[in-house]
């Protein structure tokens, strides 16, 4: 179990630093064009890994429909919105908003899957959303200072939360790691089409010839996206959803730390307060708090 926790810690570190990596990349290359190449590279890597692991196969006709349906929200809209939003907001703000992902997923499950929710978890939802409000609405210009980038990143969080509902509804009939690879490939093709529709010059991708940008790109595509998602999908089965919510908090912490270290962004008291509220909201709203209470209660009863 310790090995699984170490793996999860490593994935959270990579995902956290990936926010800074993307911020660097989208300032040099059109964000939508960049996303198409990044997701394509990650998808190819995932399929190669699946081949080596012996779980590779071609989808059946009906499975392609499922793959495309999920890819629209999980890959095409989510990654495009986050990339565009990052171009228009700070890495710290984006990190904190992305930290809402587990909480938004639970809210989506309550709305669309009719999952029951306790008042304790409702408190978690409130704390998390107040945390985002504190982060984005209390800038130097007050409430009017909220940036379009903040809103776009938050939309990216919403569509991915909805994609997780689709995944639970549609239930792909083959290994989720393999499904991830195909969704990335399909999604990257459509994202590339979007980039051309908005007038992106394909020649911009030549900017990756720069060894520094190329290194950041490969880290984002191969480690954070390909290896990170596959490892997380494997680890989540071992530790359960409650413990994973706790690790997601580390993702946010690593992300804002990376933005401060690598992007020289200033972390204000509003960011710190917002982070604490979001951290508390995720911990309570995803059920991790209740799970640990029950686990502790059972432990104390077994010792009696």
């Amino acid at each position: 179990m310790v090995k699984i926790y170490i793996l999860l810690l490593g994935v959270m570190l990579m995902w956290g630093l990936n926010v800074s990596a993307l911020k660097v990349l989208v300032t040099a290359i059109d964000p939508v064009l960049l996303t198409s190449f990044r997701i394509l590279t990650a998808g190819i890597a995932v399929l190669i890994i699946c081949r080596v692991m012996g779980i590779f196969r071609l989808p059946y006709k009906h499975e392609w429909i499922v793959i495309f349906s999920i890819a629209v929200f999980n890959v095409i809209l989510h990654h495009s919105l986050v990339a565009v939003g990052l171009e228009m907001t700070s890495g710290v703000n984006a990190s904190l908003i992305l930290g809402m992902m587990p909480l938004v997923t639970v809210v989506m499950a309550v709305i669309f899957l009719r999952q029951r929710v306790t008042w304790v978890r409702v408190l978690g939802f409130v704390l998390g959303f107040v945390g985002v409000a504190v982060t984005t609405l209390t800038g130097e210009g007050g409430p009017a200072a909220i940036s379009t980038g903040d809103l776009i990143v938050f939309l990216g969080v919403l569509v991915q939360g909805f994609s997780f509902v689709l995944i639970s509804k549609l239930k792909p009939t083959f290994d989720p790691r393999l499904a991830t690879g195909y969704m990335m490939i399909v999604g990257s093709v459509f994202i590339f089409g979007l980039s051309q529709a908005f007038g992106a010059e394909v020649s911009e991708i030549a900017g990756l010839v720069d060894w520094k940008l190329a290194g950041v790109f490969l880290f984002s595509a191969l480690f954070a996206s390909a290896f990170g998602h596959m490892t997380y999908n494997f680890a989540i089965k071992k530790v359960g959803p409650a413990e994973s919510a706790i690790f997601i908090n580390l993702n946010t912490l690593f992300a804002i730390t990376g933005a401060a270290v690598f992007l020289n962004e200033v972390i204000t008291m509003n960011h710190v307060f917002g982070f604490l509220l979001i951290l508390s909201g995720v911990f309570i709203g995803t059920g991790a708090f209740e799970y640990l209470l029950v686990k502790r209660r059972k432990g104390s009863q077994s010792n009696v």
Side-chain angles (χ1 to χ4, degrees):
M1 190 62 73
V2 174
K3 291 182 179 179
I4 298 298
Y5 287 144
I6 293 174
L7 277 175
L8 271 175
L9 183 64
V11 171
M12 293 306 115
L13 176 61
M14 286 189 289
W15 283 359
L17 296 181
N18 191 44
V19 176
S20 295
L22 290 177
K23 180 69 176 175
V24 169
L25 291 169
V26 299
T27 56
I29 302 170
D30 177 84
V32 182
L33 178 68
L34 169 77
T35 299
S36 67
F37 278 85
R38 182 175 66 85
I39 299 302
L40 176 64
T41 304
I44 293 173
V46 169
L47 293 184
I48 291 174
I49 295 172
C50 287
R51 181 75 177 184
V52 172
M53 294 173 64
I55 61 174
F56 176 84
R57 72 169 174 83
L58 293 175
Y60 301 124
K61 288 183 179 179
H62 70 278
E63 290 174 333
W64 280 116
I65 298 175
V66 175
I67 288 170
F68 178 74
S69 300
I70 298 173
V72 168
F73 295 94
N74 188 270
V75 179
I76 300 172
L77 290 176
H78 169 68
H79 288 285
S80 296
L81 287 168
V82 170
V84 171
L86 266 170
E87 193 181 29
M88 305 163 69
T89 188
S90 68
V92 172
N93 272 25
S95 301
L96 291 168
I97 296 169
L98 289 169
M100 288 288 292
M101 182 65 69
L103 206 55
V104 168
T105 301
V106 174
V107 172
M108 290 286 183
V110 170
I111 296 172
F112 295 103
L113 302 180
R114 305 294 183 185
Q115 289 189 2
R116 297 181 63 183
V117 60
T118 64
W119 285 108
V120 174
R121 297 178 79 172
V122 170
L123 173 63
F125 300 160
V126 173
L127 286 175
F129 285 105
V130 169
V132 170
V134 168
T135 301
T136 60
L137 297 178
T138 54
E140 294 179 1
I146 185 170
S147 73
T148 304
D150 292 333
L151 290 174
I152 293 175
V153 172
F154 186 66
L155 281 176
V157 171
L158 287 179
V159 295
Q160 188 166 52
F162 182 69
S163 76
F164 293 146
V165 173
L166 278 181
I167 290 172
S168 66
K169 282 269 192 184
L170 299 176
K171 295 178 181 176
T173 51
F174 52 95
D175 193 291
R177 292 167 293 185
L178 182 59
T180 299
Y182 281 120
M183 284 189 288
M184 286 179 167
I185 297 291
V186 171
S188 67
V189 173
F190 281 88
I191 294 173
F192 179 76
L194 283 175
S195 73
Q196 296 310 290
F198 285 109
E201 295 288 341
V202 180
S203 58
E204 284 188 45
I205 210 68
L208 294 178
V209 172
D210 178 87
W211 70 270
K212 289 183 180 179
L213 282 181
V216 174
F217 175 83
L218 291 175
F219 164 77
S220 178
L222 300 181
F223 289 92
S225 297
F227 177 78
H229 283 287
M230 290 192 72
T231 303
Y232 183 75
N233 289 338
F234 169 75
I236 198 68
K237 292 182 180 179
K238 300 294 183 180
V239 302
E243 285 90 341
S244 72
I246 301 172
F247 278 91
I248 288 291
N249 290 323
L250 294 176
N251 173 20
T252 308
L253 178 62
F254 289 139
I256 60 176
T257 303
V261 174
F262 297 109
L263 304 178
N264 296 316
E265 293 186 1
V266 177
I267 300 177
T268 66
M269 286 305 298
N270 288 334
H271 290 132
V272 174
F273 187 47
F275 169 70
L276 292 175
L277 287 173
I278 293 172
L279 186 151
S280 301
V282 171
F283 184 62
I284 297 172
T286 55
F289 177 68
E290 292 174 307
Y291 172 82
L292 293 178
L293 280 181
V294 172
K295 192 174 182 180
R296 183 176 180 181
R297 191 178 299 122
K298 286 181 178 179
S300 61
Q301 290 174 351
S302 64
N303 292 329
V304 174

